[in-house]
Amino acid sequence: MARDTTDHTPLTSVDEMVAYLAEGCKPREAFRIGTEHEKFAFFRADNSPVPYHGEASISALLKGMQQKIGWEPIMDGENIIGLAGGDGEGAISIEPGGQFELSGGPLETLHQTCRESNQHLSVLREVAEPMGIRFLGMGGSPKWTLAETPRMPKSRYEIMTRYMPKVGSKGLDMMYRTCTIQVNLDFSSEEDMRRKMRVSMKLQSVATALFASSPFTEGKPNGLLSWRGDIWRDTDNARAGALPFVFNETFGFKDYVEWALDVPMYFVVRDGRYHDCTHITFRQFMAGALKGEIADWEPTLGDWTNHLSTLFPDVRLKRFLEMRGADGGPWRRICALPAFWVGLLYDDASLAAAEDLTRNWTHADVVSMRDTVPAKGLAAEVAGRSVLDVARQMVDMSRAGLKARGHLNSDGQDESVFLAPLDEILAKKTTLAEDMLALYDGRWNRDIEHVFEDYQY
């Protein structure tokens, strides 16, 4: 998230919080695609991480991008921490370890999404190349220890860094040593939200398997295909995971609000200052828990919006739905991830088919798949079937949905062209992580430095 919200509208009731989410409902013709992707910045001279400060640095990248594209700098005190584009242009932000992120604008087609990503990376390379900086596309930092990984001067990250070790064993790894690709999608009604969130919550680990690309930690194989997926199994389980109430037939906006109210907060922002609120839940905040601690203790809509952004379920509900299961990866996967979900969720026939396929999956089935996919990938099972078989069906359903959308590029290709990387995985029956491991044991001669050559942007 590039910038925390400062909406001072008073917030006084649960109904107002529910209404805020419901305001995300929009007509089908207004549905858009918002794609986010992160990458690791490194110096090509020695494959070391890029610090925040200095002539060749993360801050210098942000300032260089600002000069190139003219977006508004986002500041945290005296530090530039991101860039905000104009209406519909998206934003650039930095993750805790310097992972460089584009939060794309809301676009109508996947052809536009792919052009947006390509343009972003092209401009970023122009800025980065004179500094000797390049970018690595994979789901987990393959070489650097936590101590070697730089820390970005962003106030919310300071609070999270102190808090994470208290609530899980892998929270700092999540913050500093992982990258993702995700897509944000719309819904037309509470019922439409319910259907999409339930199906995508069930299938999120299938995406984890398809996009697995984090098999190395600190220079050697870690025994996993998606280290990033495993990290999310013990990061902060009060705010993460496959939410059981989403599986209920009557699930709605209020259920999500009631859950979110009982999740500990991270912070509130007052006059540009971040106040650590990890000792209270949002429900306690609403009841006056900060009275006497800070001057402006009354909850605001901005506080609620920020709190929603600090929840980490496999599918996150805001005024849109965020698909959060995939590892980061090479450029083609930036287009493949939104293609997979758009084809499934934006076409009525494909969504219905996905519902039928997953209808009898229990929460326990999904959690079991979520637990085993990081190590087994497509060889994991769900409800008695291999994830590979399920993935084949899902990609076929997605393809049908994308073809039905009928959005063609100048060469007459529909959006299903972006599923090609997934077709390759399914044909080979091996993930990108397994390809990386084969290279490590073969041509790379067990030297992790080669990953920076073969998987750079």
Side-chain angles (χ1 to χ4, degrees), residues 162-227:
R162 293 193 298 268
Y163 181 68
M164 283 296 183
K166 301 176 184 178
V167 292
S169 62
K170 301 172 182 176
L172 296 181
D173 287 326
M174 179 278 290
M175 291 177 63
Y176 291 96
R177 298 204 285 179
T178 64
C179 279
T180 185
I181 305 166
Q182 71 177 48
V183 65
N184 306 324
L185 299 175
D186 292 314
F187 46 81
S188 61
S189 64
E190 185 170 50
E191 171 62 19
D192 190 41
M193 179 280 295
R194 176 185 302 121
R195 295 176 68 201
K196 289 173 176 173
M197 189 161 185
R198 183 183 298 128
V199 162
S200 57
M201 189 74 78
K202 290 179 177 181
L203 290 170
Q204 210 58 221
S205 291
V206 177
T208 303
L210 280 169
F211 287 83
S213 65
S214 45
F216 306 113
T217 307
E218 298 181 11
K220 59 185 184 296
N222 53 32
L224 302 162
L225 302 178
S226 178
W227 177 43

Side-chain angles (χ1 to χ4, degrees), residues 311-386:
L311 307 177
F312 305 131
D314 292 355
V315 182
R316 180 159 61 190
L317 175 60
K318 295 182 180 176
R319 288 195 281 191
F320 46 83
L321 293 171
E322 298 183 352
M323 307 295 121
R324 297 174 45 81
D327 282 10
W331 176 80
R332 294 173 72 215
R333 289 167 176 248
I334 298 173
C335 310
L337 186 278
F340 177 75
W341 288 114
V342 167
L344 285 175
L345 301 183
Y346 272 7
D347 177 71
D348 288 340
S350 294
L351 178 56
E355 285 181 311
D356 287 342
L357 178 65
T358 62
R359 192 174 307 281
N360 294 324
W361 292 9
T362 66
H363 181 254
D365 291 332
V366 172
V367 170
S368 176
M369 173 173 57
R370 188 176 187 269
D371 287 342
T372 54
V373 153
K376 293 186 176 181
L378 295 168
E381 294 188 353
V382 56
R385 296 189 60 196
S386 75

Side-chain angles (χ1 to χ4, degrees), residues 259-272:
W259 168 72
L261 280 167
D262 291 320
V263 175
M265 299 173 64
Y266 280 161
F267 59 84
V268 296
V269 185
R270 296 293 185 268
D271 297 323

